Amino acid sequence: MKLKLLRDNHPLHEIWRRFKKNKAAMLGLGLLMIILFLAIFADLLMPYEKAITQVGANRLLTPSFEHPFGTDHLGRDFAARVIHGSRYSLLIGISTSFISLIIGGLLGAFCGYYGGRFDNIVMRLMDVIMSVPPVLLSLAVVAALGANLRNLLIAITVSCIPSTVRLVRSVVISVADQDYIEAALSYNASDFRIILKYILPNAMGPIIVNTTMSIAVMILSAAGLSFIGMGVQPPAPEWGALLSEARQYMFKAPYLLYFPGIMILIAALSFNLVGDGLRDALDPKLKN
């Protein structure tokens, strides 16, 4: 009984309780679980060989029992390509968001905690980067480094860092003046320890929400860059690249546009709904 009481009073349990009340957030979580399931078990659901094996006699077959999503212009099973494409899109969205969180989070935390000249230099640099639209900045980075998956990750991460720095800095400034920070300083705790152990954990609510919702933006950005040939290159089955390949067959085989487009929509929607749910669940003003 005591263990159950402690578990029920745990902050994570309270957050989950409030999150469950949001039906839209639970819908988003369900959609996200489906996409993660497809990405993790893609090889069991559809062997990768079906996504790359070209069969001339099977070109542009409409959806059927044998090929649920039809086949593309090279006779490859389109369902296999869409399912395996989830790995690329989720890899790009999640990895770029968390890398920008680590880099931008540390920069923002130090700027908010120390202030002064270091803060001015870093924030003016972030202002310069943010003066360029993220898509144009990503295009410039990919054009300079070359179009491939690694450079796409670098480009999207660079474009995402400034907004993360500004968010974390603003949150840290509001937290740094709390009494428990003064108590930690009285015990001669190092600045690095105070930032990592006391400031960032108490500022994680807005940071987690921003990171979750930025994943959707990163997935859309990657799809857009791949669509114009500046992202993941064929024959890799990334969703944006699949849309790019299907452009010339949009009237003859429109299903080649439908399925990757729907997957992009579902992925972006699921992360946005989960982010909205987390924002409401982590908002202290909503606590009973």
Side-chain angles (χ1 to χ4, degrees), residues 60 73 243-253 256-257:
L60 297 178
H73 61 291
L243 288 175
S244 180
E245 292 178 350
R247 282 181 299 177
Q248 55 185 321
Y249 306 102
M250 61 185 301
F251 297 109
K252 186 177 181 180
L256 295 178
L257 294 171

Side-chain angles (χ1 to χ4, degrees), residues 39-119:
I40 295 172
F41 299 103
D43 289 321
L44 296 178
L45 298 172
M46 289 278 187
Y48 187 68
E49 288 73 17
K50 297 184 68 174
I52 59 176
T53 301
Q54 302 179 15
V55 182
N58 291 342
R59 293 178 179 176
L60 297 178
L61 294 180
T62 56
S64 63
F65 181 78
E66 183 179 0
H67 303 288
F69 291 178
T71 60
D72 65 4
H73 61 291
L74 296 177
R76 297 170 295 191
D77 186 273
F78 203 59
R81 293 184 63 75
V82 171
I83 290 174
H84 283 274
S86 62
R87 291 184 169 182
Y88 286 92
S89 296
L90 290 180
L91 169 66
I92 294 171
I94 295 175
S95 61
T96 52
S97 295
F98 278 94
I99 292 173
S100 65
L101 171 62
I102 294 173
I103 299 175
L106 289 176
L107 280 176
F110 283 111
C111 288
Y113 183 76
Y114 288 110
R117 180 176 298 179
F118 176 78
D119 179 35

Side-chain angles (χ1 to χ4, degrees), residues 9-283:
N9 291 331
H10 194 278
L12 291 179
H13 183 273
E14 179 64 17
I15 292 172
W16 172 243
R17 185 186 66 81
R18 291 199 301 270
F19 184 87
K20 288 192 299 182
K21 290 182 177 180
N22 191 326
K23 295 181 179 180
M26 293 302 294
L27 173 62
L29 183 61
L31 293 175
L32 181 58
M33 292 298 102
I34 293 174
I35 295 176
L36 290 175
F37 177 82
L38 293 177
I40 295 172
F41 299 103
D43 289 321
L44 296 178
L45 298 172
M46 289 278 187
Y48 187 68
E49 288 73 17
K50 297 184 68 174
I52 59 176
T53 301
Q54 302 179 15
V55 182
N58 291 342
R59 293 178 179 176
L60 297 178
L61 294 180
T62 56
S64 63
F65 181 78
E66 183 179 0
H67 303 288
F69 291 178
T71 60
D72 65 4
H73 61 291
L74 296 177
R76 297 170 295 191
D77 186 273
F78 203 59
R81 293 184 63 75
V82 171
I83 290 174
H84 283 274
S86 62
R87 291 184 169 182
Y88 286 92
S89 296
L90 290 180
L91 169 66
I92 294 171
I94 295 175
S95 61
T96 52
S97 295
F98 278 94
I99 292 173
S100 65
L101 171 62
I102 294 173
I103 299 175
L106 289 176
L107 280 176
F110 283 111
C111 288
Y113 183 76
Y114 288 110
R117 180 176 298 179
F118 176 78
D119 179 35
N120 287 329
I121 292 175
V122 173
M123 294 312 299
R124 297 297 77 76
L125 178 61
M126 294 300 107
D127 290 340
V128 171
I129 297 176
M130 292 186 72
S131 66
V132 182
V135 174
L136 292 181
L137 179 61
S138 299
L139 281 173
V141 174
V142 172
L145 300 179
N148 55 49
L149 177 59
R150 183 193 64 184
N151 295 337
L152 178 64
L153 293 173
I154 295 173
I156 296 178
T157 302
V158 170
S159 67
C160 185
I161 286 177
S163 59
T164 305
V165 172
R166 295 180 70 90
L167 172 69
V168 175
R169 175 181 177 272
S170 64
V171 175
V172 168
I173 289 176
S174 64
V175 172
D177 294 331
Q178 300 297 321
D179 293 338
Y180 55 84
I181 303 299
E182 297 294 334
L185 288 172
S186 67
Y187 284 101
N188 294 323
S190 65
D191 292 341
F192 192 73
R193 179 181 176 85
I194 291 174
I195 292 174
L196 292 184
K197 187 174 181 179
Y198 299 105
I199 294 181
L200 286 180
N202 288 283
M204 287 306 294
I207 296 173
I208 291 174
V209 173
N210 178 76
T211 302
T212 303
M213 301 186 74
S214 69
I215 295 176
V217 178
M218 299 302 103
I219 291 176
L220 293 173
S221 299
L225 291 173
S226 296
F227 181 78
I228 61 176
M230 299 297 286
V232 179
Q233 299 299 302
E238 195 269 337
W239 290 335
L242 294 181
L243 288 175
S244 180
E245 292 178 350
R247 282 181 299 177
Q248 55 185 321
Y249 306 102
M250 61 185 301
F251 297 109
K252 186 177 181 180
Y255 59 87
L256 295 178
L257 294 171
Y258 296 157
F259 293 114
I262 290 173
M263 293 301 293
I264 293 173
L265 174 64
I266 292 175
L269 178 63
S270 64
F271 280 107
N272 279 327
L273 291 177
V274 170
D276 283 336
L278 286 175
R279 180 186 58 197
D280 295 341
L282 293 170
D283 190 348

